[in-house]
Amino acid sequence: MNAKEFVFGSLLAGTALAATRTLFAKTGSAKPKPNSTGSDLAPPQGDAPPRGEASIYEAVDAYVERQMRRLNMPGAALAIVQGDRIVHQRGFGRARPGGEPPTPQTPFFIGSLTKSFTALAIMQLVKAGKVELDAPVQRYLPWFRVADPQASAQMTVRHLLNQTSGLPESAGEIAPSALDDLPDGTERQARTLASVKLSHPVGAVCQYCNANYDLLGLVVEAASGESYADYLQEQIFTPLEMNHTYVSRDVARQNGLAMGHRYWFAHPIAAPDLPIVQRSLPSGQLISTTEDMARYLMAHLNGGRVGDTQVLSRSGIEELHRGAVEYGKMGVSAGRYAMGWFDGELGQTRVVWHSGALPDFGAYTALFPEQQMGIVLLFNACQWWYNPVVIETGMGAAAVLAGEPYAPTPYFSVLPLMLRGQLLIPLLQIADVAATVGLLRRWRSEPDRSSSGGRSWKRHLLLPLIPNLVIALMLRSVLRKRGEYLKLYMPDYWWLAAICGSFALAWSFVRTGLLLGARRKALANPEGRHGLR
């Protein structure tokens, strides 16, 4: 199941049900109102933001506030860096229900921003002579296998960094039922790849897969002789004075961890005790603050140096940022994937960026190497469908900062509206049942209306089957092995698909049986000769 199946399947289901209701009611339905807030995603129009640093930061703040209202976002934290300085920090909304706004020291899960830390650790080991980028993964993980033995031997560290290993996206999705807190969970999960068939030949295309970076975390451990968590603490967090960055949720909670929220039909619901995918720590489970992330961005902007601390050479940082292969999804280009970063353009300005999406937290960060600026936004609400929305929001804020025009993708701009629109499916199913009951009553009182075939009969019997069967297909997505993953990352869709999909499947048979029974009775009536009107 991919993003297209979710989005277009749900849309088709809703559209088809609406058509059914129109057939029964024989009245035109009201057209949906245009998304009046869709244009809000773009920064203020003009050649550039207002002059003066303070005015630019105010413009960024105002933009973020508008997006938080539009997206019903509980809380967010922002930091902006210029060269080797943190020049602006701001908290919005609430860090937790009934609480205060986030501070620069409030921890958030940062999702896939973690990948850049894993890539930095690998590049540090490359510079130390302990890892070679073009060496096979099996040099460091001799047990590593995928279903194809030849592909297993061909896959290199660089392939993992550039997301060109050929591993499918689904290989990086972990079901909640498979979670545990045992220390070797990352390796045990990686060993399950032995049965995975590659979706593309090694090195052929960029395909985003968390498993690539979980494997890199194991390479860090094998090459350094330390656990992944200990290595990052000693070689990245401590040198950069990232004193509020954590690998443990329990420790982060003791230090004011923001409360995450899951979106249910675009409404955020606090989710304090969601399971943590600890075995995917290297690909997406670090916890940090805007203040710490700002220091991290400063190192990337200044050739690996913050103050007197050098965590990587300038050439190493440049290699981390250098795009290697084009990446896109649903026809939208994200730029070129580098090593834990995307390398692209925002207007006329080069931007190096990444997003992060967990079931309950979202994140976005961007670097403008030529302007020596960086921005990080952390959110305490998210879900699977909201990752494109987080990207659009973060990219819009970055555009305001850089003084570049930004045109949001219309499709992504309406995703929140689509999430709310899912609720139309059960409402239209109820309308379908009511319309069918009304139709059967009319047929019982006027048997001649249901006695013959023809186009009218097909309209009542066959056409309504189409939307019901389309909705029933939604059930397939939650019954497949990825269903538990969807239940964690898209709870509203999971429950809707389970309930409405099951009902649609059963109702297809029940409705057909009721109509056929009514028609048989009408045909048995010698007066049923006038046909359905």
Side-chain angles (χ1 to χ4, degrees), residues 129-270:
K130 295 181 179 181
V131 171
E132 292 183 24
L133 290 177
D134 294 309
V137 176
Q138 289 181 339
R139 176 184 297 182
Y140 309 100
L141 309 175
W143 47 263
F144 170 68
R145 298 286 187 280
V146 291
D148 182 345
Q150 184 177 358
S152 305
Q154 291 175 342
M155 205 177 296
T156 68
V157 174
R158 190 186 299 274
H159 289 136
L160 299 180
L161 285 164
N162 294 151
Q163 303 266 22
T164 56
S165 66
L167 286 168
E169 183 178 348
S170 59
E173 297 174 354
I174 301 173
S177 62
L179 303 181
D180 58 55
D181 295 325
L182 298 178
D184 62 343
T186 305
E187 180 176 331
R188 286 187 289 109
Q189 180 66 26
R191 287 180 180 272
T192 66
L193 298 175
S195 61
V196 171
K197 295 180 179 179
L198 300 187
S199 56
H200 297 89
V202 175
V205 299
C206 178
Q207 183 159 272
Y208 196 94
C209 178
N210 287 332
N212 289 320
Y213 275 75
D214 291 334
L215 286 167
L216 287 169
L218 295 172
V219 172
V220 169
E221 293 184 340
S224 68
E226 301 179 72
S227 71
Y228 175 84
D230 288 346
Y231 181 91
L232 261 60
Q233 185 65 57
E234 294 173 11
Q235 301 299 325
I236 300 177
F237 302 158
T238 298
L240 293 179
E241 298 181 17
M242 299 177 68
N243 299 321
H244 299 283
T245 299
Y246 312 98
V247 299
S248 165
R249 178 168 66 177
D250 291 339
V251 176
R253 276 178 168 168
Q254 296 170 15
N255 290 275
L257 175 67
M259 183 173 291
H261 297 69
R262 291 198 294 179
Y263 279 107
W264 287 77
F265 307 107
H267 182 75
I269 302 295

Side-chain angles (χ1 to χ4, degrees), residues 314-359:
R314 182 173 295 275
S315 62
I317 290 291
E318 290 174 350
E319 184 144 18
L320 284 175
H321 296 172
R322 187 180 302 117
V325 58
E326 289 288 334
Y327 176 79
K329 196 166 187 179
M330 292 181 286
V332 179
S333 173
R336 299 167 296 281
Y337 203 82
M339 297 178 175
W341 295 91
F342 287 96
D343 182 10
E345 291 77 35
L346 186 55
Q348 300 300 312
T349 304
R350 182 189 179 206
V351 58
V352 179
W353 66 277
H354 212 285
S355 68
L358 292 170

